[in-house]
């Protein structure tokens, strides 16, 4: 059967109302690939799913939507990846409800890369945004892809930080992959698609509805080996992602904050429940690399040797918190040169980035 016919069968079954992933996998287990499900006939399918659902399977009411999906997949940089494809990410096969297919804009191979998720509040504080961007940049510099939900606030900051490194970033949408949501993030979504990957399990044209985002969250945690929560209120959707991550066997990390900040309470609740406290990117990387080849190479890829420039920065820093401009004046380096060294020292566990853009040497 031609490739398009096989893909058309996948798309057609995914569009049947009421035919969820669990039932579709039941049909696949019985008959094989989707074209064989359709070839089996209505009576045979009805024995497994009932007459009403079997009638919808064979109604072929979504012919226009199937044609649209096939035309979309033919465009450069577009893919529809199914459970039967070699490019389907192994990580998602580990979760209880892997989506039958994924619509992908960008680099499909990135979905199988080592990755870490960063999530948090849409109404983040300036420090929260800075933390998300800096942590994401550090993870990407270490070769990890950063996964997030392309929402406003922490998500957007994480994607921007990750684009600064070779690990790049993956954005998971709660709409069709052809819809830029939220609209304010349209330029960022386009950049992530061009330099990373934008993914959705929802059919093309699916609008933003409240029920889509918890489903989206299970893919954010499912694709990653760990989830870092940067800022979250106690009612935040980020806590749903953290719960899903724990249920999927992923590591959960949280950045602590002020006891007076509403956006720290969700993170503090997670830490009380067993999430690992993260004061630096090095804390997360060390935990994830402990006993495992998680980052490209062995161990934390960005761990620096203490060359003269690094030693000079540590000596100039002393043991009191120091801001970037002051430290740059002491060592005679540009802000860019100094930031690169500080990132390496932070990943090595030699310094810690404090609120307000200050750095402190660790004993």
């Amino acid at each position: 059967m031609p490739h398009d016919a096989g893909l058309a069968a996948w798309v057609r079954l995914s569009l049947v109302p009421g035919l969820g992933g669990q039932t579709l996998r039941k049909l696949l287990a019985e008959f094989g690939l989707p074209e064989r499900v359709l070839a089996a006939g209505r009576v045979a399918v009805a024995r497994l799913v009932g007459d009403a659902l079997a009638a919808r399977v064979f109604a072929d009411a979504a012919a226009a939507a199937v044609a649209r999906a096939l035309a979309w997949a033919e465009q450069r940089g577009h893919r529809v990846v199914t459970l039967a494809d070699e490019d389907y990410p192994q990580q998602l096969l580990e979760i209880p409800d892997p989506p039958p297919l994924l619509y992908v804009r960008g680099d499909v191979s990135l979905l199988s890369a080592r990755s870490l998720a960063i999530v948090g509040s849409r109404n983040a504080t300036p420090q929260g945004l800075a933390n998300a961007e800096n942590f994401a940049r550090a993870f990407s510099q270490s070769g990890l892809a950063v996964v997030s939900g392309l929402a406003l606030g922490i998500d957007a900051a994480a994607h921007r930080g990750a684009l600064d490194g070779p690990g790049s970033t993956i954005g998971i949408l709660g709409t069709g992959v052809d819809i830029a949501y939220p609209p304010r993030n349209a330029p960022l979504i386009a950049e992530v698609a061009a330099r990373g990957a934008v993914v959705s399990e929802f059919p093309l044209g699916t609008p933003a509805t409240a029920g889509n985002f918890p489903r989206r969250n299970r893919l954010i945690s499912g694709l990653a080996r760990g989830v870092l929560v940067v800022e979250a209120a106690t009612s935040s959707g980020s806590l749903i992602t953290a719960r899903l991550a724990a249920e999927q066997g992923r590591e959960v990390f949280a950045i602590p904050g002020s006891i007076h900040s509403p956006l720290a309470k969700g993170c503090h609740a997670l830490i009380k429940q067993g999430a690992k406290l993260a004061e630096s990117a090095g804390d997360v990387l060390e935990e994830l690399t402990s006993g495992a080849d998680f980052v490209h190479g062995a161990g934390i890829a960005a761990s620096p040797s203490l060359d003269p420039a690094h030693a000079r920065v540590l000596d100039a820093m002393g043991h009191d918190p120091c801001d970037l401009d002051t430290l740059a004046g002491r060592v005679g380096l540009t802000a860019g040169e100094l930031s690169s060294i500080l990132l390496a020292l932070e990943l090595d566990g030699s310094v810690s980035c404090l609120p307000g853009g200050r750095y402190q040497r660790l004993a």
Side-chain angles (χ1 to χ4, degrees):
M1 180 172 288
H3 172 75
D4 281 354
L7 181 56
W10 277 101
V11 175
R12 176 177 168 180
L13 290 184
S14 74
L15 294 173
V16 173
L19 184 64
Q22 182 176 358
T23 305
L24 176 53
R25 290 191 297 274
K26 182 179 178 181
L27 289 173
L28 297 176
E30 176 69 19
F31 298 108
L33 293 173
E35 56 264 37
R36 293 189 177 182
V37 174
L38 297 173
R42 177 173 170 176
V43 174
V45 169
R47 293 193 187 103
L48 288 179
V49 302
D51 290 333
L53 188 51
R56 290 198 290 271
V57 167
F58 289 93
D60 198 18
V66 172
R68 179 184 177 192
L70 294 178
W72 180 89
E74 290 178 354
Q75 298 177 42
R76 184 176 181 180
H78 292 181
R79 279 283 303 278
V80 179
V81 181
T82 74
L83 279 169
D85 287 337
E86 292 183 358
D87 288 329
Y88 192 92
Q90 179 67 34
Q91 302 96 297
L92 291 185
L93 296 177
E94 300 170 0
I95 68 175
D97 187 20
L101 51 80
L102 298 167
Y103 295 84
V104 183
R105 292 171 57 196
D107 184 359
V108 172
S109 69
L110 201 59
L111 305 189
S112 297
R114 295 175 174 90
S115 59
L116 183 75
I118 297 180
V119 296
S121 174
R122 291 188 298 273
N123 301 306
T125 67
Q127 185 59 59
L129 295 174
N131 287 341
E133 188 164 345
N134 290 335
F135 273 68
R137 182 179 297 108
F139 297 146
S140 184
Q141 291 287 354
S142 293
L144 302 182
V146 174
V147 186
S148 198
L150 282 167
L152 300 173
I154 295 299
D155 287 16
H159 290 301
R160 291 189 184 100
L163 287 169
D164 285 341
S168 195
T169 190
I170 303 166
I172 313 295
L173 290 174
T175 64
V177 76
D178 57 330
I179 293 179
Y181 183 85
R184 281 170 52 189
N185 273 355
L188 175 62
I189 294 170
E191 186 173 7
V192 172
R195 300 173 54 196
V198 175
V199 182
S200 177
E201 68 176 308
F202 298 105
L204 299 176
T206 300
T209 61
N212 289 355
F213 292 94
R215 289 191 58 77
R216 182 274 309 268
N217 291 349
R218 89 189 193 290
L219 299 188
I220 293 175
S221 57
L223 268 178
R225 291 303 180 188
V227 173
L228 171 66
V229 182
V230 177
E231 283 186 335
T234 52
S235 60
S236 172
S238 300
L239 302 191
I240 296 176
T241 308
R243 175 179 57 79
L244 291 168
E247 293 173 355
Q248 293 165 349
R250 282 30 174 174
E251 297 284 358
V252 179
F253 304 88
I255 297 178
S258 168
I259 61 172
H260 304 293
S261 171
L263 292 180
K265 293 189 180 300
C267 291
H268 293 171
L270 289 174
I271 293 169
K272 290 177 182 177
Q273 295 164 12
K276 296 177 174 63
L277 186 151
E279 293 181 310
S280 70
D283 290 340
V284 179
L285 292 169
E286 182 177 1
E287 184 68 31
L288 290 176
T289 56
S290 177
D293 180 18
F294 187 86
V295 181
H296 294 311
I300 299 176
S303 178
S305 59
L306 199 61
D307 64 19
H310 295 158
R312 185 155 57 98
V313 169
L314 287 175
D315 288 342
M317 185 178 295
H319 291 279
D320 292 324
C322 185
D323 63 80
L324 187 67
D325 290 338
T326 299
L327 188 56
R330 291 177 183 174
V331 296
L333 296 173
T334 67
E337 292 169 336
L338 181 57
S339 294
S340 177
I341 292 173
L342 287 171
L343 172 62
L345 290 172
E346 184 181 357
L347 293 176
D348 189 45
S350 298
V351 303
S352 176
C353 182
L354 304 176
R358 298 177 301 158
Y359 292 84
Q360 184 167 22
R361 182 174 180 172
L362 301 176

